[in-house]
Amino acid sequence: VRFWANLDSLHKIYRNARSRVEERKVVTEMPKGTRINGTFTDEEFRRFFSFLYIEISSKGKPFLTKEEFDIVFRNGLTIPDKPLEKKFSLNCSLANPKNQIDYAIHLFMQKHMGGKKAPYLKFFGSYFKEYSDALVSPRKLEMLASNISGVKSPRCKIDFDKYLPIVFRDNS
């Protein structure tokens, strides 16, 4: 009986130690940065912006590779404390302009929470050259924000509705 009691005590000690290690591991894996809260879950956020690697842009390639997408969106909608040193470039052209992505950002902001454009542009500026001005100065951020107007380009062939969660889709 005494043996079983000691074994049970050892098991409790081991379980508590393992629990603390797991707890520490979760804390260290949490991204450092500022979370942008809203109505979309991280999964819905990734699904919406998955058009970046699904839709074909210039030269038969998507706006981003799947690997680049995974790096950018792995922590959900969190503005990192330290932006990427070598930012990604979006594969855009005259036929597939960047304003398609501007429109997507505007649409997402409206559905996700609304509010100010600055946090969303700082998120994208942390990962993409095309939006990096958002991190340079308040004036550059303001200029970049003025381009995010919600006007869909006539060249835009992307059906963003299919990337939105069902509750946000335009059912007209």
Side-chain angles (χ1 to χ4, degrees):
V1 173
R2 192 167 201 203
F3 171 77
W4 292 112
N6 285 339
L7 189 60
D8 190 46
S9 294
L10 283 172
H11 181 68
K12 283 180 185 173
I13 291 168
Y14 172 73
R15 193 172 58 227
N16 288 341
R18 200 169 98 209
S19 174
R20 270 187 245 111
V21 167
E22 289 297 315
E23 200 173 284
R24 243 182 271 121
K25 185 177 177 188
V26 168
V27 170
T28 57
E29 288 177 359
M30 291 296 281
K32 301 263 191 260
T34 306
R35 180 107 177 128
I36 303 171
N37 293 316
T39 55
F40 280 54
T41 64
D42 283 351
E43 188 178 315
E44 290 169 334
F45 167 62
R46 283 187 204 91
R47 168 90 175 106
F48 180 74
F49 282 101
S50 67
F51 79 87
L52 290 169
Y53 71 88
I54 293 173
E55 299 286 336
I56 299 303
S57 179
S58 179
K59 298 175 187 159
K61 295 179 181 175
F63 294 97
L64 276 181
T65 67
K66 174 71 166 102
E67 293 75 27
E68 291 168 335
F69 176 88
D70 289 340
I71 291 168
V72 172
F73 295 94
R74 73 175 161 231
N75 295 321
L77 194 52
T78 302
I79 303 166
D81 286 338
K82 283 181 72 178
L84 283 184
E85 279 187 39
K86 190 173 186 315
K87 292 181 177 45
F88 299 118
S89 275
L90 294 163
N91 181 31
C92 297
S93 66
L94 283 174
N96 291 287
K98 179 182 133 299
N99 67 9
Q100 293 178 100
I101 299 165
D102 294 347
Y103 176 77
I105 292 170
H106 186 271
L107 180 62
F108 175 77
M109 285 180 349
Q110 281 185 316
K111 305 290 185 183
H112 181 64
M113 181 73 138
K116 301 203 179 297
K117 297 175 185 175
Y120 299 96
L121 292 175
K122 286 179 180 178
F123 170 82
F124 284 95
S126 296
Y127 296 102
F128 299 110
K129 288 178 188 171
E130 292 81 358
Y131 295 96
S132 60
D133 277 357
L135 307 175
V136 174
S137 71
R139 177 72 185 125
K140 294 251 187 189
L141 173 62
E142 192 180 307
M143 288 169 52
L144 188 60
S146 69
N147 293 333
I148 313 280
S149 63
V151 176
K152 191 172 182 181
S153 166
R155 292 184 181 142
C156 185
K157 299 169 195 86
I158 301 169
D159 176 15
F160 291 108
D161 227 32
K162 72 181 184 183
Y163 295 100
L164 284 169
I166 292 170
V167 295
F168 294 112
R169 291 186 185 162
D170 183 14
N171 296 322
S172 52

